[in-house]
């Protein structure tokens, strides 16, 4: 069963609705002790990375997430939390993946936020993208991005620059887009995550 | 590449769609949720619901609508109508809305934009602007274009952007309902000076109008209502046309 980290970071109704549609069972993780009840974990997140990190620390979950050996999927700000640092509010984050989250502004000439459907290019062999086209469109809405990295980037997207649309480091996965809002491709990705291991 | 978005807009009153819809395979043309699902299946990139319910039950019917849509539809949607304060927006966010759209409430109280952006992030805040050409200038109008304000459209949009609007939905009231095409000249002028996404609205009558608005004004998205609802434009065909004209579209 999938546990959803419930730390008050924005709306999770759309995510649980998508899991309901797909028949993926889930429960809420409010405390450290509840992590053990689930075989995989989703970290949702909307809004401000620094504020999300403070909420995660206040819930006592921040210290435990990095110790997990089961599959963990961060979505949007939930993925950014996995990195070491965000320019959003100059925030130190979980530092599970040694990358930085940066602001689009002043780095690209395109509009910010990056809102809409953009192509996600993944390499072969990433289980999270099984049965998903190599240039499939996913729905993005964000102003901060995780830098591209040859080791940890599982899929990239171009928006004025090449950034990490998806990360993988050991059992830790992340997607910058919203699979729960990305039509059939997004639903396939959620199914893939629920079938990992 | 970031795809241009095609957005059907649904007017909803008391939980039912207002404008007629004549999809052949629709069981209940008045059910906004079924209609939304159909549009998502046809390839709509996003949906906008404008709730024009006026009764004191409005908040509850809007929340019920948003929840039903979020449960069944796998693309993003915006809800507008009757959002006057943070509490209205908060309820809709937690009911599953991806964005809220504010129009006259923002004109009456521009600080609402700042408050919403700070509380929920700018990506949640769409500022809808109805504009009309009067004596050589463009002015913001309220009440569906009937009430002129003293705000000049371009200045108001820049103000909304600086206050934390995440997107602008611009409807040309001169073009709305004419089916003669979008106001590409105005849209281009606004878009060239905007660093947040611009959604074009008002005037769509055929497929060429969508090609024109993307090619001539480079807006991020185009919205229409009746041409989609009456089946005059079918989204799969429209997207095929756009792609043939070299416009980036989600397949």
């Amino acid at each position: 069963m999938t546990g959803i980290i419930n730390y008050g970071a924005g709306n999770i109704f759309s995510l649980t609705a998508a899991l309901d549609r797909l028949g993926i069972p889930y429960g809420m993780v409010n405390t450290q002790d509840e992590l053990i009840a689930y075989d995989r974990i989703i970290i949702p997140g909307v809004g401000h990375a620094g504020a999300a990190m403070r909420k995660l620390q206040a819930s006592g979950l921040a210290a435990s997430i990095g110790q997990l050996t089961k599959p963990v999927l961060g979505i949007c700000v939930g993925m950014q939390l996995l990195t070491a640092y965000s320019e959003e509010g100059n925030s130190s984050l979980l530092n599970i993946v040694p990358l930085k989250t940066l602001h689009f502004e002043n780095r690209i000439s395109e509009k910010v936020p990056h809102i809409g459907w953009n192509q996600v290019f993944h390499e072969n062999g990433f289980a999270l993208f099984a049965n998903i086209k190599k240039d499939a469109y996913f729905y993005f809405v964000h102003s901060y991005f995780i830098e591209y990295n040859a080791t940890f980037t599982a899929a990239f997207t171009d928006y004025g620059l090449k950034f990490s649309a998806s990360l993988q480091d050991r059992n830790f996965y992340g997607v910058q887009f919203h699979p729960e809002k990305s039509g059939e491709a997004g639903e396939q990705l959620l199914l893939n995550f629920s079938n990992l291991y | 590449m970031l795809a241009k978005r095609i957005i059907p807009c649904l007017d909803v009153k008391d939980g039912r769609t207002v404008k007629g819809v004549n999809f052949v395979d629709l069981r209940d043309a008045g059910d906004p949720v079924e209609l939304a699902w159909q549009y998502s299946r046809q390839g709509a990139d996003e949906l906008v619901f404008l709730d024009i319910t006026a009764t004191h039950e409005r908040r509850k019917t809007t929340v019920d609508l948003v929840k039903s849509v979020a449960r069944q539809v796998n693309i993003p949607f915006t809800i507008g109508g009757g959002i006057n304060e943070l509490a209205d927006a908060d309820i809709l966010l937690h009911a599953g809305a991806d964005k809220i759209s504010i129009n006259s409430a923002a004109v009456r109280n521009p600080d609402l934009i700042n408050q919403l952006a700070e509380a929920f992030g700018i990506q949640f805040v769409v500022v809808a602007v109805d504009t009309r050409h009067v004596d050589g200038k463009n002015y913001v109008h309220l009440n569906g274009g009937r009430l002129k304000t003293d705000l000049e459209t371009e200045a108001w949009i820049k103000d909304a952007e600086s206050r934390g609007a995440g997107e602008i939905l611009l409807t040309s009231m001169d073009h709305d309902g004419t089916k003669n095409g979008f106001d590409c000249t105005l849209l281009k002028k606004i878009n060239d000076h905007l660093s947040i996404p611009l959604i074009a609205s008002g005037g769509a009558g055929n497929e060429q109008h969508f090609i024109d608005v993307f090619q001539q004004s480079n807006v991020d998205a185009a919205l229409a209502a009746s041409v989609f609802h009456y089946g005059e434009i079918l989204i799969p065909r429209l997207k095929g046309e756009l792609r043939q004209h070299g416009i980036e579209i989600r397949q």
Side-chain angles (χ1 to χ4, degrees), chain A residues 10-14 17-18 21 46-47 110-119 121 133 137-139 141-143 158-159 179-184 187, chain B residues 1-3 5 41 45-46 67 70-77 93-96 98-99 122-123 166-167 191 194-198 220 248-251:
Chain A
N11 158 45
I12 56 166
F13 190 91
S14 303
R21 283 197 302 275
V46 182
E110 281 76 3
K111 292 177 174 184
V112 181
H114 174 220
I115 296 183
W117 297 80
N118 206 335
Q119 284 174 295
F121 299 92
K133 270 175 54 190
Y137 285 88
F138 286 87
Y139 186 76
V141 46
H142 61 127
S143 299
D158 270 312
Y159 189 63
E180 74 278 19
K181 287 289 168 182
S182 293
E184 287 170 16
E187 293 182 341
Chain B
M1 258 178 82
L2 184 64
R5 287 172 275 158
R41 300 284 295 176
D45 297 303
E46 202 170 312
K67 280 189 174 167
R71 273 195 200 101
Q72 293 181 51
V73 176
N74 61 11
I75 58 172
F77 67 96
L93 173 76
H94 287 96
D98 298 285
K99 311 173 200 179
I122 68 169
Q123 81 290 335
E167 281 183 291
N191 194 49
L194 203 60
S195 53
I196 53 174
L198 179 63
D220 300 274
E248 186 76 13
I249 282 292
R250 176 177 68 114
Q251 320 214 353

Side-chain angles (χ1 to χ4, degrees), chain B residues 2 10 15 24 77 108 123 130 146 148 154 158 164 192 202 209 221 236:
Chain B
L2 184 64
L10 292 89
V24 281
F77 67 96
R108 283 195 301 269
Q123 81 290 335
D130 293 342
R146 290 187 296 275
K148 179 182 166 294
E154 285 171 85
K158 290 306 285 180
D192 283 351
H209 294 150

Side-chain angles (χ1 to χ4, degrees), chain B residues 8 41 56 88 101 107 119 127 141 145 159 196 201 215 225 236:
Chain B
R41 300 284 295 176
H56 64 282
D88 298 324
S101 161
V107 172
V127 174
H141 282 65
D159 188 23
I196 53 174
S201 161
Q215 286 186 338

